[in-house]
Amino acid sequence: MREKRCVRTWLGLLLGMTVTVLGATVVGALPPSALAQANGPAPPSPAGPPAPDTTVVPLARLWPVGLRPSVLRGWDPPATPYARGHRGVDLAASPGAPVRSVAAGRVSFAGRVAGRGAVAVELTGTGAPPLRTTFTPVRATVHQGDEVTAGEVLGTLEPGDAHCATPCLHWGLRRDRTYLNPLSLLPPWLLHRDPSRLLPVTSAQP
């Protein structure tokens, strides 16, 4: 009886080894395409977040303050999101000067941030998320949700801001969380326009 059990055990082990060897031989003989089909589709490779869209169309129709103000400090993007830098440009202006929207859009914020007046405008037709211009320190005369046109007054420049040594408007531009150069909104004819000059009066030809 014990001998029969031993024989059955050995036969079972031998049969299992044979099936395993045959299965490995068959799998090894299959082409890679057949193996992929048998195992199902491979899991998708992890993809990182899409790169932010840094495209800026020069759609501004005027400067936000003055005719062609002096740029007291230019755009200096930080190396990392939390590093030091200058996330906009500072434009020379007098307290009480009107601050205008450079293009058509919708007021997404009008209020105070850390004690400073601020206005933000989402520019129409600039994608999703849209480009957003910001202006500080501004005493707003518009409200959140207002639709504005190019040249429409958003408020007046507030005095006593310590951001600049002399009174200035801080003008910023963002797409989502990415800071961009607001001067890139200005077309060349507006950005590099020479000051107006009076031409000499000549006598009329007979």
Side-chain angles (χ1 to χ4, degrees):
M1 192 68 177
R2 183 176 299 174
E3 292 178 356
K4 290 182 178 181
R5 289 181 179 176
C6 291
V7 171
R8 291 176 182 175
T9 303
W10 281 106
L11 286 175
L13 291 174
L14 183 59
L15 180 60
M17 293 174 62
T18 303
V19 172
T20 302
V21 172
L22 288 176
T25 303
V26 172
V27 171
L30 290 175
S33 58
L35 286 175
Q37 186 175 3
N39 295 330
S45 58
D53 183 9
T54 57
T55 303
V56 178
V57 178
L59 49 77
R61 295 293 175 262
L62 72 168
W63 288 80
V65 66
L67 295 178
R68 194 183 186 283
S70 299
V71 178
L72 301 177
R73 185 180 178 187
W75 184 59
D76 183 18
T80 63
Y82 301 102
R84 296 183 63 182
H86 194 230
R87 298 166 173 83
V89 296
D90 294 335
L91 306 178
S94 300
V99 178
R100 302 177 295 266
S101 179
V102 299
R106 184 185 66 87
V107 178
S108 58
F109 179 83
R112 307 197 71 78
V113 178
R116 304 169 69 203
V119 177
V121 177
E122 293 181 350
L123 302 182
T124 303
T126 55
L131 292 173
R132 182 173 59 181
T133 55
T134 57
F135 309 93
T136 54
V138 175
R139 181 177 289 107
T141 55
V142 292
H143 303 88
Q144 183 174 348
D146 288 351
E147 298 288 339
V148 294
T149 59
E152 187 167 342
V153 175
L154 306 173
T156 56
L157 186 68
E158 291 184 334
D161 187 69
H163 181 75
C164 300
T166 58
C168 75
L169 171 72
H170 181 79
W171 179 26
L173 177 66
R174 293 175 58 179
R175 187 186 294 279
D176 197 15
R177 297 183 180 182
T178 303
Y179 289 89
L180 303 169
N181 185 0
L183 295 181
S184 58
L185 286 171
L186 299 173
W189 63 268
L190 188 57
L191 185 60
H192 304 293
R193 184 175 61 187
D194 294 330
S196 301
R197 291 181 298 176
L198 294 177
L199 297 177
V201 177
T202 58
S203 59
Q205 297 293 332

